[in-house]
Amino acid sequence: MFFFPIRDHNPSGRTPWVTWLLIAANILIFLSYQGLGQDERTVGLVYVTFGLIPADATILSAITSMFLHGGWLHLAGNMLFLWIYGDNMEDELGHVGFAAFYTVAGVAASYAHVAAEPASPVPLVGASGAIAGVMGAYLLFFPRARVDILFVILLFFRIVPIPAWIVLAFWFGTQIVSGAATPEGAGGVAYWAHAGGFLAGIALVLPVFLRRGGPAYWRQTHGHPPHPEASYTRTVIPSAGRRRHSGVRGGDAGGGRRGPWG
């Protein structure tokens, strides 16, 4: 059995240009160095040059590493999560605000990994630290938005809508447990980058949340999005959609073993 989110029931009120641009940039950059048949030596050189090496970390390498991925599944998983959660946070923060938020959350996630493995010579690559920040912010604003989870058991599948707070809290908990259980320098998934990005996302949007009333904002909406939720037919297509403007306010990994995937 395996399961993963495919969409939320939280349509956005504006076109998520930045989210779409980030997805396009990640895909095109991936294709430029790995998806077109380059040899492993060339791909490894890209990781060493543009990935973040904890023993020699810089802000620039923290940013460039966010646009590299370790394989097709790594890329697809990250872009799916960004597609699900990114449009709503871009709706809340605006295009420029969301771009700045995404970048800062990604840098914070990278340095959480540096703090966990300061002497590691292995490059960190992946956008999931920044996307984890988006997920943390989403949890703060829409804890009871419904997220459709696709459960696959052998040849059978079922889509189950689950409140976002359960989905995201479970995901965050697995990062903490997995990070604690993974020996330093073991490579693989950069769990502490994920956890750090998630907490950074919450911290970065907390002032906005408090300006809107903090817990009183939740009481007004009961934790749901402050607009009608989307409804779907029985399909596995990860559709996000936009809501119609009707007086409501506009404003939800894997790869090889070369290095830690963020």
Side-chain angles (χ1 to χ4, degrees), residues 18-19 22-23 26 77-87 98 102 127 131 134 252:
V18 174
T19 300
L22 287 169
I23 292 173
N26 276 279
N78 278 347
M79 295 306 99
L80 175 61
F81 275 57
L82 181 56
W83 172 261
I84 293 172
Y85 302 110
D87 64 319
F98 178 72
Y102 182 91
I131 296 168
V134 177
D252 202 278

Side-chain angles (χ1 to χ4, degrees), residues 212-239:
R212 295 187 182 175
Y217 177 77
W218 281 342
R219 287 194 294 270
Q220 294 169 8
T221 65
H222 302 287
H224 292 278
H227 48 259
E229 293 189 347
S231 60
Y232 301 103
T233 57
R234 296 178 66 85
T235 174
V236 298
I237 299 174
S239 175

Side-chain angles (χ1 to χ4, degrees), residues 91-118:
D91 204 10
E92 295 297 321
L93 301 176
H95 304 308
V96 175
F98 178 72
F101 163 84
Y102 182 91
T103 302
V104 174
V107 171
S110 295
Y111 275 90
H113 177 72
V114 171
E117 299 192 26

Side-chain angles (χ1 to χ4, degrees), residues 29 46-54 56-68 102-104 106-108 110-111 114 124-126:
I29 291 172
V46 171
Y47 290 154
V48 170
T49 304
F50 298 104
L52 179 136
I53 299 175
D56 188 28
T58 65
I59 298 294
L60 179 60
S61 64
I63 294 173
T64 57
S65 68
M66 292 160 51
F67 293 91
L68 306 178
Y102 182 91
T103 302
V104 174
V107 171
S110 295
Y111 275 90
V114 171
L124 170 72
V125 299

Side-chain angles (χ1 to χ4, degrees), residues 10-261:
N10 189 2
S12 58
R14 71 176 85 195
T15 302
W17 295 114
V18 174
T19 300
W20 291 356
L21 181 61
L22 287 169
I23 292 173
N26 276 279
I27 293 173
L28 291 174
I29 291 172
F30 178 84
L31 291 175
S32 73
Y33 70 86
Q34 190 171 52
L36 301 178
Q38 283 85 345
D39 60 85
E40 187 170 341
R41 181 183 179 89
T42 299
V43 174
L45 181 61
V46 171
Y47 290 154
V48 170
T49 304
F50 298 104
L52 179 136
I53 299 175
D56 188 28
T58 65
I59 298 294
L60 179 60
S61 64
I63 294 173
T64 57
S65 68
M66 292 160 51
F67 293 91
L68 306 178
H69 288 85
W72 287 100
L73 289 178
H74 188 205
L75 174 70
N78 278 347
M79 295 306 99
L80 175 61
F81 275 57
L82 181 56
W83 172 261
I84 293 172
Y85 302 110
D87 64 319
N88 296 111
M89 293 318 304
E90 185 172 348
D91 204 10
E92 295 297 321
L93 301 176
H95 304 308
V96 175
F98 178 72
F101 163 84
Y102 182 91
T103 302
V104 174
V107 171
S110 295
Y111 275 90
H113 177 72
V114 171
E117 299 192 26
S120 174
V122 181
L124 170 72
V125 299
S128 55
I131 296 168
V134 177
M135 294 161 65
Y138 190 101
L139 173 62
L140 190 62
F141 276 89
F142 310 112
R144 296 185 66 183
R146 292 188 299 161
V147 178
D148 280 348
I149 306 298
L150 174 64
F151 288 85
V152 180
I153 305 173
L154 298 179
L155 298 178
F156 301 94
F157 66 87
R158 183 178 181 85
I159 298 173
V160 180
I162 298 177
W165 74 267
I166 295 178
V167 176
L168 297 175
F170 175 80
W171 181 88
F172 178 71
T174 62
Q175 307 311 303
I176 297 295
V177 172
S178 299
T182 302
E184 183 176 342
V189 179
Y191 295 110
W192 294 119
H194 299 172
F198 191 90
L199 294 176
I202 293 175
L204 287 169
V205 299
L206 186 59
V208 179
F209 176 71
L210 293 176
R211 284 200 299 270
R212 295 187 182 175
Y217 177 77
W218 281 342
R219 287 194 294 270
Q220 294 169 8
T221 65
H222 302 287
H224 292 278
H227 48 259
E229 293 189 347
S231 60
Y232 301 103
T233 57
R234 296 178 66 85
T235 174
V236 298
I237 299 174
S239 175
R242 295 178 61 198
R243 63 177 181 270
R244 295 180 178 179
H245 292 278
S246 58
V248 296
R249 179 178 54 82
D252 202 278
R257 299 290 295 180
R258 292 192 190 86
W261 311 133

